[in-house]
Amino acid sequence: SQQGEEDPQALSIQEGENATMNCSYKTSINNLQWYRQNSGRGLVHLILIRSNEREKHSGRLRVTLDTSKKSSSLLITASRAADTASYFCATVFYGNNRLAFGKGNQVVVIP
Amino acid sequence: EAQVTQNPRYLITVTGKKLTVTCSQNMNHEYMSWYRQDPGLGLRQIYYSMNVEVTDKGDVPEGYKVSRKEKRNFPLILESPSPNQTSLYFCASSFAGGPGTGELFFGEGSRLTVL
């Protein structure tokens, strides 16, 4: 099945810096969601952006969606050590009520 | 506290010994789903259920069974486990409409090893 693909796969940054991750997909979507997973734990929902939306904010998180390029980005501003985790984008395609996950971005924030 | 509870959290078993991983949610969610997570492959959907008595295959249903007799429970059954089912399993739930309308709530995961 089609899945979101994140880029880059691994990111290491200093505390206080911004972290940006990108996600691309192949077909028309209903919505795109970002999740965070701390090592070995369950996934936690961060943001959902619908196909008719271009940008959403939640605290230090900013998500953009460009449906013409079939891509999304997740920006974490002023990163903290607690932001160290894997980040997944997941898409729901039109006509399909299933959430397909990308392989994830591992982000390490160095104190 | 709103949560999705999976049991067991860790299990080591042997090939062919039937096992069940339970999943229960206390949020009155209609939609429930099982995923497996493997290194390099990300999360793949096994089965999902839009409501009681309604289940559908995901991307990797072979070797698994599910049932949805009650709204809150969605057990995952491995009738004859094999080593390639060694994985980290997640149960998730959502309000009516599933992920097409809203976020998924995940359990903490069940790490299964089949020898």
Side-chain angles (χ1 to χ4, degrees):
Chain A
S1 64
Q2 305 276 357
Q3 290 185 330
E5 294 286 341
E6 296 95 345
D7 174 59
Q9 299 296 305
L11 187 61
S12 184
I13 58 174
Q14 295 288 330
E15 200 165 31
E17 293 181 338
N18 295 341
T20 300
M21 288 154 272
N22 299 306
C23 169
S24 61
Y25 55 91
K26 296 190 175 90
T27 61
S28 295
I29 61 170
N30 179 314
N31 68 61
L32 186 145
Q33 303 180 30
W34 285 92
Y35 288 80
R36 183 188 74 229
Q37 182 183 32
N38 291 93
S39 181
R41 305 289 300 276
L43 282 77
V44 175
H45 180 262
L46 297 176
I47 288 185
L48 180 154
I49 187 165
R50 303 193 186 282
S51 60
N52 61 352
E53 297 174 312
R54 291 297 166 258
E55 187 171 313
K56 281 189 90 168
H57 296 256
S58 177
R60 294 182 295 110
L61 306 179
R62 173 178 165 250
V63 168
T64 62
L65 179 65
D66 187 335
T67 53
S68 67
K69 295 181 179 177
K70 293 185 170 58
S71 67
S72 173
S73 69
L74 170 67
L75 168 67
I76 305 172
T77 59
S79 62
R80 305 167 181 168
D83 294 328
T84 294
S86 292
Y87 293 83
F88 294 84
C89 76
T91 48
V92 178
F93 299 106
Y94 272 117
N96 182 329
N97 197 18
R98 291 161 47 191
L99 194 61
F101 284 84
K103 292 182 173 55
N105 262 302
Q106 188 171 7
V107 174
V108 175
V109 181
I110 302 165
Chain B
E1 180 188 353
Q3 58 187 4
V4 178
T5 303
Q6 299 178 223
N7 279 296
R9 293 288 314 281
Y10 302 91
L11 179 64
I12 300 174
T13 190
V14 295
T15 298
K17 186 176 181 182
K18 180 180 178 179
L19 67 92
T20 299
V21 185
T22 64
C23 174
S24 179
Q25 49 90 9
N26 63 0
M27 295 170 279
N28 202 35
H29 285 167
E30 282 79 9
Y31 181 97
M32 297 186 75
S33 181
W34 277 101
Y35 288 86
R36 61 178 287 174
Q37 184 177 29
D38 302 287
L41 297 177
L43 281 92
R44 294 177 293 168
Q45 191 176 42
I46 303 171
Y47 271 95
Y48 66 102
S49 169
M50 294 296 293
N51 213 326
V52 175
E53 301 292 359
V54 180
T55 62
D56 261 307
K57 296 178 180 178
D59 298 312
V60 288
E62 294 78 20
Y64 304 94
K65 285 175 59 178
V66 292
S67 68
R68 188 90 183 274
K69 294 184 170 59
E70 305 167 278
K71 197 174 190 179
R72 63 182 293 129
N73 296 323
F74 191 43
L76 179 70
I77 303 156
L78 286 73
E79 293 271 3
S80 184
S82 63
N84 64 12
Q85 292 179 297
T86 292
S87 187
L88 179 58
Y89 291 87
F90 288 101
C91 180
S93 70
S94 178
F95 292 105
T101 53
E103 65 185 277
L104 289 186
F105 294 81
F106 280 81
E108 283 296 303
S110 295
R111 186 168 293 280
L112 172 65
T113 301
V114 183
L115 302 176

